[in-house]
Amino acid sequence: MISLREAAQRLDIPLEMAKRHGLPARMEEAEVERMRANPPQWLAQSLANRKVGARPVWVELRCDVCGRTESVRPKKWWPEFTYVTCEEHSRDELPSPGALYRQEVDGIGSRFVGIADVTA
């Protein structure tokens, strides 16, 4: 059994859409795979409406120091990150900035900091 959140990730839809269309809180993996193979009309329409080059529904954050991962919904305001690291890691554990300055963005996912090296 997988959670509704994991089912939404596998179907590449927002969690809100999964709830709106009545997906249960826990689902069998085989049921999710059947939905991917033979999507109901609402899912097929959602996938067909995707614009090429649009922001993805889910992204996987991976710490560049320890490799810890987390799947999250990306935010419009996130810059393009050079590195992503867990909050507990020191910035000294990352390579030296290859830019004019380094911007740190706290609160990425549940435990990450986004690092953007900015050249101008």
Side-chain angles (χ1 to χ4, degrees):
M1 297 290 275
I2 61 173
S3 69
L4 180 60
R5 178 182 171 87
E6 190 171 340
Q9 290 171 359
R10 290 185 185 189
L11 295 171
D12 198 27
I13 59 173
L15 187 57
E16 299 80 17
M17 182 180 283
K19 289 177 183 177
R20 183 173 50 242
H21 289 284
L23 296 185
R26 311 267 323 148
M27 294 179 71
E28 294 284 342
E29 289 188 44
E31 185 178 355
V32 174
E33 291 307 315
R34 279 193 298 275
M35 286 183 76
R36 287 182 66 188
N38 188 17
Q41 179 60 36
W42 62 267
L43 180 57
Q45 186 66 48
S46 173
L47 297 173
N49 287 344
R50 298 276 166 81
K51 295 178 183 165
V52 175
R55 199 167 40 101
V57 177
W58 296 93
V59 295
E60 183 178 271
L61 301 175
R62 179 178 304 278
C63 176
D64 289 307
V65 175
C66 70
R68 181 182 289 166
T69 63
E70 177 181 355
S71 291
V72 298
R73 299 282 311 276
K75 307 299 182 226
K76 293 178 186 176
W77 54 267
W78 286 359
E80 187 68 33
F81 296 124
T82 309
Y83 302 104
V84 176
T85 182
C86 298
E87 292 172 339
E88 63 265 14
H89 295 301
S90 166
R91 301 307 167 252
D92 296 334
E93 295 178 69
L94 294 171
S96 297
L100 191 57
Y101 70 93
R102 182 166 270 178
Q103 176 187 6
E104 295 184 11
V105 181
D106 292 321
I108 305 301
S110 66
R111 63 174 67 113
F112 293 97
V113 175
I115 311 287
D117 287 347
V118 182
T119 56

